[in-house]
Amino acid sequence: MKCFSSKSILRRIMFWNLLSLMLVEVCGFINCYLFSCSLHFFIFYHVLPTGQPVGIYSAPLKQVVQKLPSASSSDYAKFELTLGDLMTTKEHEILKPSGKIRFAVLVSGRATAKQGSRASPNRSRSGYIQISPSKDGPWTNMKLNYAVPAACWRFGDCVIASEATVKEGNRYVGIRSLVSITNTTDFAIDLRLKGRDSQSAGSDGQLENSDKDDQIEVGVLEPGSTIPVPLSGLSHPGVLYTLQLRPTIHHELVQHSWSDVQERRSQTEFRNEQVLDICVSDLYESENLLFCSQIDGSSSTCQGLWFCLSIEAKEIGKDVRTDPIYDWSIIIKSPLSLTYYLPIPAHYTVSASHLDEEETSCSRGELNPGEVVKVQNVDPRNPLYLSLVPHGGWESVHEPVPISHPTEVPSKFINLRSSLSGRVVQIMLEQSSDKDYLMARVIRIYVPYWISFARLPPLTLQFVDITGRRDKRRYLARPRAEKSDKLLYGIGHEELVDGYTIASGLNFKGLGLSACVSRNGQQLGALKELSPLADMDGTVDLSAHDNDGKCTHVFLCSKLCSYQAVPTKVIYVRPYTTFTNRVGQDMFIKLSAGDDPKVLHAYDRRVSFLYSEVGPDKLQVRLEDTDWCQPLDIVKEDTIVIAMRKQDCTQKFVKAEIRGYEEGSRFLVVFRLEPTDGPIRIENRTSNATIGTRQSGLGEDTWIQVKPLSTRKYSWDDPYGQKAVDVSIQKGDVTSFQYVDLENPVASSTSFGEHGVKFNIVETADVTILKFTDYHRRQEGSPESELVASTLTQNETETGAGPLELIIELGVVGVSLIDHKPRELLYLNLQKVFISYMTGYDSGTTSRFKLIIGQLQLDNQLPLSIMPVVLATESMPDSNHPVFKANIAVSNVTSNGIQVYPHVYIRVTDQTWRLNIHEPIVWALVDFYNNLRFTGTSSSSTVTEVDPEIRIEDKA
C-alpha cells in the first residue's frame, strides 16, 4: 500500500469548447490510500469546437505529479507543462497516436502528518480546482458543486458554468459556456455560428463564397444530445454571431440549406422587429420558427424541413452588480409531435386538407403503443388535419379533424365506430400549445379506458345501464336483467388486439356487467353492478358460464395505466384464482366437490380452469402416487402445507403459497415440493403402547398409527381446521382415547398419566414434536420420591404457574443515524420484526426469547452516493425464510452461579448478501465517532474487567 498526498481525487475532468488548452491545478493537502499498483491520471481532450473526443492520455499519477515548495503559493508557483501523447478513443480500433497535449498536475508541498498519527482537524483541508484561460492567470477557484445542477465561475473576462456528476465511481466535472443547445428531434443536426454581416452570403448553401473568418463550426448534434456554444462565439469583441442549423441525413441523397428564421404568427412582447436572427450573445426567452429548404433549385416550402427553437433561461447566480446570471438553453424541437397512448397499434395520416387525399398527405404510417412520431415537414402556421384508425375493426366516423388551424379551434377528439359490435369510442386529442407564442405542438392521443383480458377463455361482456332501478342494493347480483335495464353494448373476443380493447368514459355508479364464455353460446351469468370500480381499490367478481354448465370465476379491478402523462384507467379482466406448478411433476386439481380432475402440468404458470359448479367451491389436489387432499378454502393470503396420503398410509407434502393481487388476479397459488420432513413429528417412545393420531373433526380414514419406539412425520390434513388432535392409546386389547388442544396443551394433557403415558410438546425452530413416553408411578413415602420432591422444591417453581408471553410484532421499523451537523448518514430498514419473550415455560423452569427479522437493508444516506445500498440480500426473502431468526432458552435454575442455556438457535438466511461500502461513508462515520461525547464515563473509573466463562456441553 502506497500513500500519495491527495485528499480528493479528481478522477476525470472533461473540458468542453473553451480553449484549445486549459490548465487545471489540483491543490490542497490530500491523503489517499491506494489498493492497486498505481493510480492512473486520465485526460480527455476534445477538439474545438465540436466537443467530440479525439484522444485520451493515461499515466501513473506519481510519474506526472509536480510537488510545489511548502513556502510557495500555488497561485504564483513556477512549474513546467508535461508533454503527453493522445491515443485514439474509438472502439474496435487499434490504439494509435491522435495528437499531443500539455498539462500540469500540481500537489502542495506542505508538511504531511506522520504515518500512523491522527491528523489535526484544523490542518486537514479539502482540495480545490483552479481554472484560468492562460498559464499566467488570473486563476479562479472552482468548487465541485454536487448539490446544484450548474454553478457559474469567472474565467478571465468571461463567465462559465460547471457541472459535477458521479458515474460508476468516477467524478466528472464538465466545464462549459453559459449557452447550450439540445436536440430533441430525430435528425442529426449540423450547427454553426455565423457573423451577422456575412449571414446572407452563406444562407443559400454556397459555403465556398462565404467568409470563413466570420464562421464558427459548432459540430453535428446527434438526437437527444446537448452541446455548449463555443466561448469564442459569445465573447467576440467585434462580431455578433447568430445560430444556424441544417439537418444531416446520411441515408438519403438529400441536402438542405442552412436555416432561415421565419415570421411567426404574432409579434413577441420583447422586440419590435418582424424577424429576428438568433444572436447567441444577446438571447431572450422566446419561441422561433426555422425552415431549411432542399437544395434542388425549388423554393417551395413543401420541399423542406421545419424546426422550432425554444430559448429558456435559468438563473444560476449574480454578478458583482447583483444582476442575475442566466444559464441559457436552446432546445431544437419538431413542429408537430404525436404521442400515442393507446394499447393497440393504429394507422395515422397528417395532411394539409380535410379531404384526406393522398397528394395533400404530409406524413403517414403506424403508431405503436407509447411511441412518439415527430413530423418535420409541416408548417405549423398552416392548417393541418389528422386521421387515426386503430387496429381491431375500427373505422372513422367523420373526416380528418383539424389539429392546427389559423382561424378554427383545433379538435379535441376523434370518434370511432367498431365494425364488429357497432359501439362508438371517443379518442381524446390533448394539445400543448399557446396562442401568444408559436410553440412546437405536442398532441397526446389517449382514451379514458382500456380493457385488458389475460389468462381467460374467450369471453363476451355485456354492459347494461341500471340507472332505472329503484333499489340498487337488492340487485348487486341478479341472475337476469330487469325490464328497466338497457343494454348499452357488448365486447366480444374478436375485438381484442393482443388482449386489449378501448372504451369511452364509463359511469360505474349506474353500470352493470354480465359475462359468458363466448365459444359455446350466450348463456350470460349473473349481472353485477360495477360501482366498486369507481374507487381506486375497488374490485368486482362475477361468473361466466358456457352451454355445457362449466363456469370460470372472473375478477375485475381498475388501476391507472402505465403512462403517467394521461388520465387513462385500465380495467383488468383476470381469473379470480390462477395456479403455478413448481413441484416438478404434473398435478391433478379439482375446484369443486363435483368437478372433473384437471391436469396442472409441470410447466404451467398462472393458468386458470373452467370447472363444474357442483357442490361447494373448494380446492383439492393430488399427485400421481397419492390420494386427494382434504378440501381447502382459498380465502386469504397464506403459506400452507398440503398433506396427501399415499397407498402405504404415509404422507407426502406440497407447500402452497397463496399470494394476493398479483397481475390482476385475486389469488395466485404456487405449488412447491415441501421437504420430506413435515412441520410436525410424532415420537412414540413408549415400550408397549401403539399411539394413533388424527386431526380432530376429520374422518376415520385419517388416523395415523405409530408403533412403539418409532416416529412418523405429520402435517395437518386441513390447514384451516382445528389445531387439535385425537389420540388413541392401544395397549393389548385395551384402547383409550384422549383429546389434545395444541393451542392449550397443559389443560388437555393432564389425564395421560392414568393410561401409563406421559405426553409433552417440544417446539424447535422448524418442527413441533409430539412426544409420548412411559409414565412411571412411584409409591408415596419412598426414598426415591422424597429425593425427587426435595429437588423440585429447591430448584423449580410451582408446577401450577402458567407461562406468560409478551409478543411484539412490527411491520416496518426504520432507524436513522444522524451526526452532529445534523446530517443523516445511515438508514436501517427492518421488515416483519417479531419479538417474543416467554417466562414460566417448562413448568416455570425456563424462559425463552425469540427474535425474527423478515428483511433487513442498510442504506447510505449521503447525497449523490453511487452505492445507496450498503447491506442487503441479493433477492427478496419469502415469508417462511426470514433473513435472521434466533431462539434462545434460558434456565431459571442455577447451580453455583452457572447460567444454563438449554437451547440456542441462531439462523441467518442462506441467500447471498451484498455489501457495498463507498469511501465517503467511511470518513463520515469516522467524523461521527470523533464528535461523540461520552459524558457518562470517567477516566478514573475503578471498574475491573472480568472474562466470562462459556461452557458448551453435549448431552446425548
Side-chain angles (χ1 to χ4, degrees):
M1 180 183 301
K2 294 186 178 181
C3 179
F4 290 90
S5 78
S6 205
K7 180 162 196 176
S8 67
I9 303 176
L10 187 62
R11 302 284 181 91
R12 294 175 182 174
I13 304 177
M14 305 188 68
F15 305 96
W16 297 89
N17 315 50
L18 293 179
L19 293 172
S20 59
L21 179 63
M22 176 183 294
L23 299 179
V24 174
E25 181 182 6
V26 181
C27 304
F29 180 71
I30 311 177
N31 289 327
C32 172
Y33 295 93
L34 304 181
F35 295 90
S36 58
C37 296
S38 63
L39 176 67
H40 282 259
F41 182 72
F42 294 91
I43 294 179
F44 288 90
Y45 181 74
H46 296 258
V47 66
L48 180 70
T50 62
Q52 301 296 326
V54 296
I56 180 175
Y57 176 77
S58 172
L61 186 60
K62 63 181 181 180
Q63 295 182 7
V64 297
V65 68
Q66 301 180 42
K67 194 171 185 179
L68 297 178
S70 58
S72 63
S73 173
S74 59
D75 295 345
Y76 305 99
K78 294 183 179 180
F79 54 88
E80 296 181 357
L81 295 176
T82 302
L83 182 64
D85 293 327
L86 292 173
M87 306 301 292
T88 179
T89 61
K90 295 182 179 179
E91 298 182 358
H92 311 295
E93 204 174 275
I94 301 177
L95 291 177
K96 59 182 179 180
S98 59
K100 294 183 179 295
I101 186 173
R102 294 182 180 273
F103 64 94
V105 180
L106 308 180
V107 176
S108 175
R110 286 170 290 189
T112 61
K114 294 182 179 180
Q115 187 173 358
S117 64
R118 179 176 295 180
S120 173
N122 297 327
R123 298 182 61 186
S124 177
R125 293 196 312 159
S126 301
Y128 57 88
I129 303 172
Q130 289 189 328
I131 57 176
S132 173
S134 65
K135 178 180 177 181
D136 299 328
W139 292 91
T140 301
N141 293 342
M142 187 182 68
K143 298 180 180 180
L144 303 182
N145 51 303
Y146 291 106
V148 294
C152 55
W153 312 99
R154 175 64 59 181
F155 187 70
D157 297 332
C158 305
V159 179
I160 62 173
S162 69
E163 294 175 319
T165 57
V166 179
K167 296 179 181 179
E168 298 180 356
N170 298 323
R171 284 174 282 182
Y172 292 84
V173 180
I175 305 176
R176 58 173 176 82
S177 64
L178 291 178
V179 180
S180 57
I181 306 172
T182 302
N183 180 13
T184 63
T185 69
D186 294 333
F187 292 95
I189 296 178
D190 193 6
L191 301 171
R192 75 172 182 180
L193 301 180
K194 192 69 175 176
R196 178 165 288 179
D197 295 336
S198 60
Q199 180 181 354
S200 58
S203 61
D204 56 353
Q206 307 298 326
L207 296 180
E208 62 274 11
N209 297 328
S210 63
D211 189 1
K212 298 291 184 180
D213 296 335
D214 292 341
Q215 174 180 314
I216 299 177
E217 296 291 338
V218 179
V220 177
L221 184 59
E222 298 294 333
S225 302
T226 300
I227 190 172
V229 173
L231 194 60
S232 57
L234 301 176
S235 59
H236 197 284
V239 180
L240 295 178
Y241 287 94
T242 61
L243 177 65
Q244 287 186 314
L245 60 87
R246 64 178 178 183
T248 301
I249 307 176
H250 300 289
H251 61 277
E252 297 182 6
L253 300 178
V254 178
Q255 295 184 358
H256 293 83
S257 65
W258 290 101
S259 61
D260 289 327
V261 181
Q262 301 295 311
E263 183 179 0
R264 293 173 290 185
R265 184 174 303 167
S266 61
Q267 300 294 333
T268 73
E269 63 180 0
F270 300 103
R271 304 297 173 103
N272 296 322
E273 294 88 351
Q274 292 185 353
V275 178
L276 295 176
D277 296 328
I278 304 171
C279 181
V280 292
S281 59
D282 185 21
L283 294 173
Y284 56 93
E285 290 190 334
S286 62
E287 298 286 338
N288 300 271
L289 182 63
L290 278 66
F291 177 68
C292 299
S293 61
Q294 290 188 13
I295 305 177
D296 57 356
S298 172
S299 60
S300 173
T301 58
C302 295
Q303 302 296 324
L305 299 178
W306 295 83
F307 298 91
C308 290
L309 261 66
S310 175
I311 303 177
E312 302 173 358
K314 183 178 182 180
E315 183 178 344
I316 61 173
K318 295 185 180 296
D319 59 13
V320 294
R321 295 185 296 273
T322 69
D323 294 332
I325 299 175
Y326 293 105
D327 186 14
W328 293 95
S329 297
I330 302 176
I331 304 174
I332 306 173
K333 304 177 181 178
S334 302
L336 177 62
S337 297
L338 303 177
T339 309
Y340 188 68
Y341 293 115
L342 267 65
I344 55 180
H347 179 79
Y348 80 95
T349 301
V350 177
S351 59
S353 172
H354 64 88
L355 300 178
D356 196 14
E357 298 176 352
E358 187 173 355
E359 57 270 12
T360 62
S361 174
C362 299
S363 177
R364 64 174 63 223
E366 291 288 329
L367 279 171
N368 294 314
E371 184 180 2
V372 179
V373 173
K374 300 176 181 179
V375 184
Q376 299 289 155
N377 60 338
V378 294
D379 186 352
R381 301 171 300 181
N382 297 332
L384 295 175
Y385 297 86
L386 174 65
S387 173
L388 185 74
V389 180
H391 296 180
W394 295 98
E395 56 187 17
S396 180
V397 176
H398 43 64
E399 296 176 345
V401 298
I403 56 176
S404 177
H405 202 280
T407 59
E408 298 180 6
V409 178
S411 178
K412 296 183 178 180
F413 54 83
I414 295 177
N415 289 329
L416 300 175
R417 179 186 293 110
S418 173
S419 61
L420 301 174
S421 62
R423 62 188 181 100
V424 177
V425 171
Q426 198 171 73
I427 295 181
M428 312 304 295
L429 302 179
E430 183 180 291
Q431 300 197 26
S432 59
S433 61
D434 196 324
K435 312 185 204 177
D436 298 331
Y437 305 106
L438 178 65
M439 298 178 63
R441 293 186 177 273
V442 178
I443 301 179
R444 298 183 182 93
I445 305 172
Y446 67 95
V447 290
Y449 287 93
W450 302 351
I451 302 180
S452 171
F453 294 77
R455 296 183 289 276
L456 283 167
L459 295 181
T460 296
L461 303 182
Q462 285 195 357
F463 291 85
V464 180
D465 183 6
I466 57 175
T467 55
R469 293 184 176 182
R470 295 181 181 178
D471 189 359
K472 298 179 183 178
R473 291 176 297 178
R474 298 174 53 196
Y475 302 103
L476 293 179
R478 291 279 296 180
R480 57 181 63 87
E482 292 185 354
K483 293 182 179 180
S484 59
D485 297 340
K486 178 183 177 181
L487 177 63
L488 297 178
Y489 54 82
I491 298 178
H493 180 74
E494 62 277 1
E495 293 185 40
L496 303 183
V497 177
D498 295 331
Y500 286 95
T501 187
I502 55 179
S504 296
L506 301 175
N507 182 16
F508 293 119
K509 296 296 184 181
L511 196 63
L513 177 67
S514 60
C516 69
V517 179
S518 57
R519 63 185 178 187
N520 286 330
Q522 297 294 328
Q523 184 180 351
L524 294 173
L527 183 65
K528 282 291 190 75
E529 186 179 350
L530 299 182
S531 57
L533 295 183
D535 301 329
M536 288 302 299
D537 298 331
T539 61
V540 174
D541 61 283
L542 68 157
S543 297
H545 297 77
D546 62 5
N547 288 340
D548 298 332
K550 300 292 184 64
C551 81
T552 181
H553 204 177
V554 182
F555 185 74
L556 279 76
C557 62
S558 65
K559 297 180 181 179
L560 292 175
C561 74
S562 57
Y563 303 121
Q564 300 180 0
V566 293
T568 299
K569 275 190 173 182
V570 185
I571 301 176
Y572 292 95
V573 184
R574 298 289 189 269
Y576 192 85
T577 306
T578 57
F579 302 93
T580 296
N581 187 352
R582 292 291 181 266
V583 175
Q585 57 179 303
D586 292 348
M587 300 178 62
F588 299 92
I589 187 171
K590 292 196 298 185
L591 301 180
S592 67
D595 190 21
D596 297 328
K598 301 167 183 59
V599 180
L600 183 65
H601 298 94
Y603 51 81
D604 283 339
R605 178 183 180 273
R606 299 180 187 269
V607 298
S608 62
F609 300 98
L610 287 167
Y611 67 97
S612 300
E613 285 186 313
V614 179
D617 292 350
K618 291 194 174 185
L619 174 67
Q620 285 185 282
V621 297
R622 74 172 180 89
L623 300 177
E624 188 175 0
D625 56 345
T626 67
D627 295 331
W628 292 99
C629 70
Q630 293 294 323
L632 305 173
D633 281 325
I634 307 298
V635 293
K636 63 179 181 178
E637 293 84 352
D638 200 355
T639 299
I640 60 177
V641 177
I642 300 177
M644 295 167 288
R645 296 179 182 272
K646 302 172 68 173
Q647 298 298 327
D648 56 358
C649 295
T650 60
Q651 288 183 316
K652 198 168 186 179
F653 309 111
V654 170
K655 182 171 68 174
E657 299 176 6
I658 306 174
R659 307 174 186 173
Y661 301 102
E662 287 202 8
E663 296 189 11
S665 295
R666 176 61 185 92
F667 292 112
L668 167 64
V669 183
V670 181
F671 296 104
R672 301 181 188 275
L673 193 62
E674 184 72 0
T676 56
D677 295 333
I680 300 175
R681 186 168 75 242
I682 303 173
E683 295 184 358
N684 183 2
R685 300 195 177 190
T686 63
S687 57
N688 58 355
T690 300
I691 304 297
T693 60
R694 71 171 179 182
Q695 187 175 0
S696 296
L698 300 184
E700 295 294 329
D701 57 342
T702 59
W703 282 100
I704 290 182
Q705 302 296 329
V706 185
K707 299 296 182 181
L709 303 177
S710 61
T711 64
R712 287 286 298 272
K713 298 168 294 184
Y714 181 72
S715 178
W716 299 113
D717 292 284
D718 185 1
Y720 298 116
Q722 302 180 49
K723 295 300 183 289
V725 294
D726 297 329
V727 180
S728 67
I729 305 172
Q730 181 180 357
K731 289 187 175 181
D733 297 334
V734 179
T735 303
S736 58
F737 295 92
Q738 296 291 324
Y739 172 84
V740 179
D741 185 0
L742 296 189
E743 295 179 350
N744 188 15
V746 177
S748 57
S749 60
T750 57
S751 59
F752 276 88
E754 300 175 359
H755 307 285
V757 176
K758 181 181 179 181
F759 170 73
N760 63 341
I761 300 175
V762 179
E763 292 186 1
T764 62
D766 300 317
V767 179
T768 300
I769 303 175
L770 308 183
K771 185 182 295 185
F772 299 89
T773 58
D774 290 328
Y775 180 76
H776 301 286
R777 294 187 178 88
R778 298 181 177 87
Q779 296 180 359
E780 297 182 0
S782 64
E784 183 180 357
S785 62
E786 294 178 359
L787 179 61
V788 173
S790 175
T791 305
L792 290 175
T793 303
Q794 296 178 4
N795 295 333
E796 295 185 2
T797 61
E798 296 182 5
T799 308
L804 174 65
E805 185 174 10
L806 174 64
I807 297 177
I808 300 176
E809 292 190 49
L810 302 174
V812 179
V813 179
V815 181
S816 294
L817 180 65
I818 301 175
D819 63 5
H820 62 285
K821 293 186 177 181
R823 177 183 58 175
E824 188 176 14
L825 304 180
L826 296 173
Y827 177 76
L828 178 63
N829 179 270
L830 305 176
Q831 296 186 13
K832 298 181 180 179
V833 179
F834 177 85
I835 304 174
S836 171
Y837 178 76
M838 177 185 289
T839 182
Y841 189 74
D842 286 343
S843 301
T845 62
T846 307
S847 297
R848 285 200 170 191
F849 174 77
K850 181 183 292 186
L851 173 63
I852 300 175
I853 300 176
Q855 184 178 352
L856 181 148
Q857 181 169 319
L858 183 64
D859 295 336
N860 181 356
Q861 297 298 105
L862 293 181
L864 298 175
S865 174
I866 63 171
M867 299 178 182
V869 179
V870 178
L871 178 65
T873 55
E874 188 74 24
S875 59
M876 185 70 67
D878 57 60
S879 58
N880 293 325
H881 297 86
V883 297
F884 179 82
K885 186 174 183 179
N887 193 347
I888 301 175
V890 182
S891 177
N892 298 329
V893 180
T894 60
S895 176
N896 299 326
I898 299 176
Q899 182 68 60
V900 180
Y901 296 85
H903 176 75
V904 176
Y905 173 84
I906 298 176
R907 179 183 180 274
V908 182
T909 180
D910 55 357
Q911 296 186 17
T912 304
W913 288 82
R914 181 175 292 275
L915 178 64
N916 299 318
I917 300 179
H918 193 208
E919 180 184 355
I921 192 61
V922 177
W923 295 113
L925 293 175
V926 171
D927 183 61
F928 172 78
Y929 175 78
N930 293 333
N931 286 276
L932 289 177
R933 297 291 184 267
F934 298 103
T935 58
T937 60
S938 174
S939 58
S940 60
S941 175
T942 59
V943 177
T944 59
E945 296 182 356
V946 178
D947 294 332
E949 180 181 350
I950 301 176
R951 183 173 60 192
I952 301 176
E953 297 180 356
D954 186 10
K955 298 181 179 181

